Amino acid sequence: MNSIRTLTRRTALVAATATAAFLLAACGGGNGDDTGGGAHQGPHGSASASADAGSSSGNETGEKAHNSQDVAFAQGMIPHHRQALEMARLAADRSASAEVEDLAARIEKAQDPEITTMTGWLTAWGEEVPEPVASNASAGTTEPMPGMDHSGHAGMPGMMDGQDMAELEKASGRAFDTMFLTMMVEHHEGAVEMAGTEKAEGRYAPAKALADDIVTAQNAEITEMNKLLGTK
């Protein structure tokens, strides 16, 4: 299934590059005033985890109570956010569009603090915090570094694999903008899916509130990105 998804995305990227690049060029001088995702709150509860939403992971009661879905949400969303940051940070010296650069900056500003928040939850619960590991596409190696373990989380909704990230890193100008937007739309859709699972099955009130913010903010950014791509 993942290979079909990846092939479909790469086919879409080729088509999108040919049809949408001129639209990005036309808006490249914009000032990024579209702030549909400005209040953007972080990514996703792990939709791939088969957590029992009714079982508590601790003995807390009331507002501090949490369950295994809350743990899965934080452990999944942290690496998901890290990859979004890795993608966003590539835009500064590769994008040809002011709007794309502005969007990338907003994504980083919103999601970086959310990683800190979710890390705090896991630490307080005595749960494992995902290690920051990313593939070094330039060197063809995988080593610990601020970023994302692309191989270990490739099955997570919306996650890019190592080849996707390597291709994005090598791109520049209009080609980068089209590829970035296409990938980030899929990445955001995965986050919304994960957040929806947390809203439905989670127990910890702050985690459910974050999930709700993610759904609202990232859906708005998906709309914004599709407009930039010209695929409304």
Side-chain angles (χ1 to χ4, degrees):
M1 181 67 72
N2 284 339
S3 61
I4 295 175
R5 175 182 65 81
T6 302
L7 178 60
T8 301
R9 178 173 64 252
R10 288 176 184 151
T11 302
L13 280 173
V14 173
T17 300
T19 59
F22 76 94
L23 292 171
L24 288 164
C27 65
N31 57 13
D33 287 339
D34 183 348
T35 57
H40 182 289
Q41 297 291 332
H44 6 307
S46 178
S48 62
S50 56
D52 179 1
S55 64
S56 175
S57 296
N59 297 319
E60 302 92 339
T61 58
E63 292 184 356
K64 293 184 178 180
H66 70 281
N67 62 13
S68 56
Q69 168 55 36
D70 299 316
V71 175
F73 172 72
Q75 289 179 334
M77 196 61 75
I78 286 173
H80 202 281
H81 270 29
R82 285 178 181 152
Q83 187 176 74
L85 296 185
E86 187 178 352
M87 295 167 68
R89 287 165 181 162
L90 293 175
D93 58 0
R94 289 170 174 80
S95 176
S97 166
E99 274 117 337
V100 170
E101 290 187 37
D102 176 72
L103 172 67
R106 282 185 274 125
I107 288 172
E108 181 174 359
K109 183 177 180 180
Q111 296 192 21
D112 200 13
E114 290 170 355
I115 292 173
T116 301
T117 296
M118 290 183 286
T119 297
W121 296 341
L122 292 173
T123 300
W125 297 336
E127 300 287 350
E128 181 180 358
V129 177
E131 291 292 330
V133 179
S135 61
N136 187 334
S138 299
T141 62
T142 301
E143 59 185 22
M145 62 185 293
M148 171 61 62
D149 180 356
H150 306 305
S151 59
H153 300 278
M156 195 181 300
M159 287 290 286
M160 303 299 112
D161 61 24
Q163 185 174 346
D164 293 325
M165 295 300 294
E167 291 174 355
L168 184 63
E169 184 178 355
K170 292 175 183 177
S172 62
R174 298 174 187 174
F176 171 86
D177 292 331
T178 300
M179 189 177 297
F180 172 84
L181 292 170
T182 303
M183 288 182 175
M184 193 61 81
V185 165
E186 181 175 346
H187 201 270
H188 274 30
E189 288 172 344
V192 170
E193 179 182 339
M194 294 167 71
T197 300
E198 171 61 17
K199 288 178 63 178
E201 301 178 10
R203 183 180 182 187
Y204 188 54
K208 291 168 70 73
L210 175 59
D212 188 60
D213 289 337
I214 287 168
V215 170
T216 300
Q218 295 206 21
N219 272 332
E221 288 179 350
I222 289 170
T223 299
E224 178 182 354
M225 289 186 285
N226 279 331
K227 286 180 179 178
L228 290 173
L229 283 166
T231 58
K232 294 183 181 181

